[in-house]
Amino acid sequence: MKRYSQSSATKAMQYVLTSGSKDIQLSIYSSIEDAKSEWNAIVPDENVFLQEQFLRVLEEYPPEGMQYRYLIFKDDQNLFGVAYCQVQYFKADESINQPIDGDDPCFFKAIGKSLRDLVSKMVEFNSLVCGNLLLTGEHGYYFDYSKVEQKQAYELLVDALNTTIQHLSKEGINTPLIFLKDYFPDTSSVAKKVYAPAKFHDFEFQPNMLLNIHPEWSNFDDYLSAMSSKYRVRARRAFKKGKDFSKRELSLEEIDENRERIYELYEMVLNHAGFNTMVLNKEYFFGLKKRLEDNFQLVGYYLNDELVGFYTTIINHEELEAHFLGFDHTYNRTHQIYLNMLYDMIKRGIYCGSKQLVFARTALEIKSSVGAVAHDMQCYLRLQNKLHNRLLMKSIVNYLNTPEEWTPRHPFKA
């Protein structure tokens, strides 16, 4: 039995969850400012995406239709876990783009364009996401496993998400879908034992592309030397095509001055995607630079003093995260701008002393060609309507499970 109360001192709704014979206090906050004292006391330094400064950027410059909830777990007043949730409004006919050049990767393609358009106009709802729609990876929770067993933590997480759904309903926010995002195999093996009995459906939605940066790569030439001659030739061909670019990292003031053009280039890439769950705020990159300072980098590509592309990276402890980018696709054909960006991110990773470069999803084959390796990640979905969850979710998961056809490349010497 859950009990709840409103705490005016902490601006949190507090619930009591039962775990075995113990009572667990769950606090639900809607602002990182209100949650920060408890949140900062437990989140690890190794994950910048769970830290206050990054979460403040999302609150200050949120994607369209996105809200946030912060879940904090206590046992006898001792903190042992947190979970980060995004409440995202989803409207299918705005999230599904028209195909470009005959390519239509969205999950409605199997039922045909006409039916897809008809259905998409009828589908709109709020979803509760445990994780981060702007990232790929396990950024939805943290539990101290010296204080709670992993299986018990996942059981509490399911109970807490169910409670959050009820909590949102009291606020007038109907949330028919729960989405648990991105579990690596070592955590998913335990998670599935908990989530399957709770009627969550698991699926893989494109792998996370990761490049291990070898310690012997002290500079970019060492990386090139590790490649077979075929891929070194390919890299040098890309460099030659991109030689007319001038590149520079933009300061906070320059990001502010160029915000309209930066967003325009971001939209050029966004509009080529078949399916988008959210659209960035125009001020998002400015906010990242303001809050993360040197740990965030936006590099602009210029031709004849015109900004024609950019990429962004975030230093996350020993990882370098390849974040959002944008470019005019005209220059992808003539100057191989995207491939040059991938190589420049690798240079950045080596320069920063990172151990791994997280390229995330999409464009799997070209990322593979620069050395990234695919790592499968599990996601879990559940519709709150039991009948819909039983009858419809399997079909939705099958659409989401449709793999991208691509050939893994092996650019390094044996």
Side-chain angles (χ1 to χ4, degrees):
M1 178 69 67
K2 304 179 183 70
R3 305 186 298 276
Y4 65 89
S5 63
Q6 174 77 50
S7 170
S8 58
T10 62
K11 299 183 180 179
M13 285 299 296
Q14 295 177 344
Y15 297 79
V16 177
L17 310 179
T18 301
S19 179
S21 59
K22 298 171 64 175
D23 283 346
I24 304 298
Q25 180 181 308
L26 168 68
S27 299
I28 302 177
Y29 295 87
S30 58
S31 165
I32 190 62
E33 171 64 26
D34 297 332
K36 67 180 182 180
S37 61
E38 295 176 309
W39 191 271
N40 293 341
I42 188 171
V43 294
D45 294 337
E46 293 78 13
N47 191 346
V48 69
F49 302 119
L50 280 177
Q51 291 173 11
E52 179 188 347
Q53 292 292 16
F54 179 77
L55 299 179
R56 281 188 179 276
V57 176
L58 294 179
E59 280 194 21
E60 292 167 349
Y61 311 103
E64 185 177 349
M66 185 175 285
Q67 300 181 45
Y68 309 95
R69 295 296 182 273
Y70 306 87
L71 281 52
I72 295 177
F73 300 82
K74 292 180 184 177
D75 174 9
D76 298 328
Q77 300 304 308
N78 293 315
L79 283 168
F80 67 86
V82 297
Y84 171 71
C85 296
Q86 297 176 335
V87 183
Q88 176 63 27
Y89 179 72
F90 171 81
K91 190 172 182 180
D93 62 346
E94 294 178 359
S95 296
I96 299 168
N97 294 325
Q98 293 297 320
I100 294 177
D101 298 329
D103 179 25
D104 185 8
C106 74
F107 67 83
F108 279 94
K109 67 179 179 181
I111 58 177
K113 181 181 183 302
S114 297
L115 186 56
R116 179 198 68 189
D117 292 345
L118 176 63
V119 171
S120 67
K121 287 180 171 61
M122 300 167 60
V123 177
E124 51 183 292
F125 54 84
N126 286 300
S127 58
L128 178 64
V129 182
C130 183
N132 198 317
L133 292 173
L134 287 75
L135 304 165
T136 300
E138 294 187 22
H139 306 301
Y141 63 87
Y142 172 77
F143 289 97
D144 183 344
Y145 292 132
S146 70
K147 298 178 181 177
V148 61
E149 292 183 355
Q150 188 175 8
K151 182 174 181 291
Q152 181 189 13
Y154 291 153
E155 290 169 345
L156 283 168
L157 184 56
V158 170
D159 205 4
L161 293 174
N162 291 335
T163 303
T164 304
I165 291 284
Q166 297 172 23
H167 168 76
L168 290 168
S169 179
K170 293 178 185 297
E171 296 183 4
I173 303 172
N174 182 37
T175 314
L177 178 73
I178 297 178
F179 181 20
L180 290 152
K181 187 173 181 292
D182 292 346
Y183 289 72
F184 281 114
D186 58 338
T187 51
S188 187
S189 61
V190 179
K192 190 170 184 177
K193 293 176 182 177
V194 175
Y195 298 156
K199 307 304 180 184
F200 283 88
H201 299 258
D202 66 296
F203 70 98
E204 295 174 3
F205 181 57
Q206 294 192 340
N208 192 1
M209 301 300 290
L210 305 177
L211 172 67
N212 289 326
I213 298 177
H214 294 245
E216 61 267 24
W217 297 348
S218 59
N219 54 53
F220 188 67
D221 285 338
D222 291 337
Y223 160 79
L224 292 176
S225 296
M227 287 182 154
S228 65
S229 58
K230 170 185 174 181
Y231 285 92
R232 277 201 306 276
V233 169
R234 184 173 182 268
R236 298 193 189 285
R237 186 185 304 122
F239 303 154
K240 185 175 181 180
K241 286 193 172 185
K243 63 180 176 60
D244 293 332
F245 289 128
S246 61
K247 311 167 193 176
R248 70 170 185 270
E249 180 178 356
L250 274 62
S251 65
L252 179 67
E253 292 74 18
E254 288 172 319
I255 293 173
D256 190 29
E257 292 168 2
N258 290 277
R259 71 179 70 186
E260 293 296 333
R261 178 56 174 167
I262 289 170
Y263 198 77
E264 181 183 9
L265 293 168
Y266 156 72
E267 287 187 311
M268 290 181 185
V269 172
L270 180 72
N271 292 335
H272 273 69
F275 183 77
N276 302 296
T277 54
M278 55 86 210
V279 178
L280 292 179
N281 188 299
K282 281 189 179 182
E283 309 293 325
Y284 176 63
F285 301 118
F286 174 81
L288 284 176
K289 191 63 178 177
K290 181 176 72 173
R291 289 286 184 184
L292 302 186
E293 299 179 335
D294 290 343
N295 285 332
F296 172 76
Q297 181 188 47
L298 188 151
V299 174
Y301 283 58
Y302 292 83
L303 274 178
N304 301 320
D305 296 325
E306 179 189 5
L307 183 63
V308 297
F310 74 92
Y311 73 80
T312 62
T313 58
I314 298 172
I315 297 174
N316 184 23
H317 195 53
E318 294 182 336
E319 294 180 342
L320 181 67
E321 181 93 10
H323 208 39
F324 290 95
L325 52 75
F327 57 86
D328 185 332
H329 281 76
T330 302
Y331 300 107
N332 208 31
R333 300 186 185 96
T334 59
H335 294 72
Q336 289 195 304
I337 187 171
Y338 182 63
L339 184 55
N340 273 287
M341 285 181 175
L342 295 181
Y343 287 127
D344 285 341
M345 290 180 208
I346 294 169
K347 287 182 188 176
R348 168 78 169 164
I350 295 171
Y351 171 77
C352 291
S354 301
K355 292 185 177 180
Q356 192 172 67
L357 204 163
V358 181
F359 276 124
R361 297 181 168 106
T362 72
L364 307 180
E365 189 160 333
I366 191 170
K367 290 173 180 175
S368 175
S369 75
V370 301
V373 176
H375 291 256
D376 291 331
M377 303 198 77
Q378 292 291 125
C379 297
Y380 298 87
L381 282 173
R382 189 183 73 191
L383 288 168
Q384 292 301 92
N385 183 296
K386 293 180 180 179
L387 181 62
H388 291 169
N389 192 56
R390 187 170 73 249
L391 298 180
L392 300 179
M393 187 55 74
K394 185 175 180 180
S395 297
I396 293 174
V397 166
N398 284 340
Y399 290 129
L400 290 172
N401 258 330
T402 303
E404 175 184 330
E405 294 184 5
W406 66 290
T407 301
R409 302 297 179 181
H410 306 283
F412 299 120
K413 299 171 185 175

